[in-house]
Amino acid sequence: MGTRTNVERRTVLKAAGISAVTLGVAATGCGGNDGTSADGNVTIRYSWWGAEERAKKINQSIALFEKKYPKIKVKTDFQDYPSFWEKFQTQAAGGNPPDVFQNAVGFLRKYDKRGVLLDLGSQIDAGNLSLDHFRAGVVKVGQVDGKQLGVPVGSNTMALVIDKKVYEKAGVDPTAGWTWDEYFKALKTIHDKTEVPGDTGYFSIMYLYDLYLRQNGKAFFTKDGLGFEQSDLTEWWTDGYGRVKAGIVTSPKVVAQDTPKSSLSAGHGASEFTWDNFTVRYTAEGTSDYGLAPIPTTDGKDTGQYLASLMLSGSARTKHPKEVAQFIDFMVHDPAVGKIMGYDRGILATTDQYDAFKPTDVVQKEIAQYEVDTAKAGVLGTITPHPSGADTAESAFLRIGGDMALGKTKVADAVKQFFSEAQAAFSA
């Protein structure tokens, strides 16, 4: 799920080139047996995407799990985001996916359709996995058609990250309930007073467009396909192209040149829509002060926001569903794991871990407060269903939107291309 979501996935996770062996953990192999040794020990394979820091934290957590369950051993494997899914798709097609793995909402229907995902309902009924003590609304993110296909490890919601110094210099003070017209006016004010583009490229962020559509009674996805018309996207991308040409939005050429940094932290944009827990990257990359601002609205109230989540899923082919369930249960409930992981994968999903971890730095405190304030505002709704092929549609939206903004293709042609590629993805 998204920073520009794509930039976060491409860059921050790029550091994950480190191998499991480097971390002193056995690398995942394609075992020919069921992972049970002669002495009754069971080995399960766990894969995820993320950077080196996430890997260190996860391995610390696994050490605690193996101490509590000495007969269960966990072999690990991780890559950056694109490499993870490339490898996972190959493993799934070959009938050898990992026993348990990190997952996201855009992949649930896709891999459920292919019979890859374990319905955890039976393990919940057996008492091996508890769905108690989760923060309100989070568990539903992992549910599809009555099946529990994933268990959230953290939650996040879309936010607007701003360069506080630039906003203050321009005299712009975003407040809850501000409208899109006010937001776009603010972008121009920022550009006119500071010569910095007001936004780094809102128009190609699928999850942001979903919020805009939800504010207007539609949605990016239905459970079967797209929930909007070509005319809707034509209007959105036409406005975005116009603002790039006017210099109010950062040129995609500059965004590409700034990679692997964000154009916000590089000083080439004053704000960027992203998931709230990604805010930590800007402080690490940039030299300014960064904060969270409200999502603009259509009616002055409804933001269209919902809680999304990274989650843990099991393989339908695992020989050890009980052990997989016990592992997931431990990783989402154990307070010590919560203290180790912090907000690396979002605001901790269970109250057991949320209460155990007390953020000490300013950025993580602000992230937590943002979600508290958003929940209190009563604007959070239910996440939009994602059809099989949603991940491919998201990538196409980003790529084609970028080409459109560069003038490589006309808006009308870009819209037609996106709808064609999206429909093909849904039919695959």
Side-chain angles (χ1 to χ4, degrees), residues 130-136 139 332-333 349-354:
S130 172
L131 295 186
D132 294 336
H133 307 300
F134 277 82
R135 295 169 57 225
V139 169
V332 301
H333 286 289
T350 61
T351 55
D352 310 272
Q353 294 188 343
Y354 182 83

Side-chain angles (χ1 to χ4, degrees), residues 27-102:
T28 298
C30 298
N33 53 45
D34 68 358
T36 303
S37 64
D39 59 5
N41 287 339
V42 167
T43 298
I44 58 174
R45 296 158 50 212
Y46 172 34
S47 298
W48 72 91
W49 67 86
E52 179 181 350
E53 185 62 26
R54 178 177 294 176
K56 290 178 180 177
K57 291 178 179 180
I58 287 177
N59 284 322
Q60 290 176 39
S61 302
I62 288 173
L64 296 180
F65 172 78
E66 291 181 336
K67 184 176 181 180
K68 182 176 180 178
Y69 294 93
K71 286 189 172 295
I72 305 176
K73 305 302 177 185
V74 183
K75 286 188 176 181
T76 65
D77 186 26
F78 77 102
Q79 293 88 27
D80 63 10
Y81 183 85
S83 299
F84 172 90
W85 287 111
E86 289 174 9
K87 183 172 183 177
F88 183 86
Q89 183 163 320
T90 299
Q91 291 173 324
N96 189 41
D99 297 280
V100 60
F101 51 93
Q102 189 169 285

Side-chain angles (χ1 to χ4, degrees), residues 42 44-45 65 72 98-101 118 120 123 128-129 312-315 318-331:
V42 167
I44 58 174
R45 296 158 50 212
F65 172 78
I72 305 176
D99 297 280
V100 60
F101 51 93
L118 174 67
L120 293 162
Q123 294 302 317
N128 298 320
L129 172 60
L312 297 179
S313 292
S315 165
T318 182
K319 302 295 185 182
H320 307 290
K322 177 181 177 180
E323 288 78 6
V324 164
Q326 290 174 324
F327 177 73
I328 294 175
D329 186 80
F330 183 86
M331 296 296 277

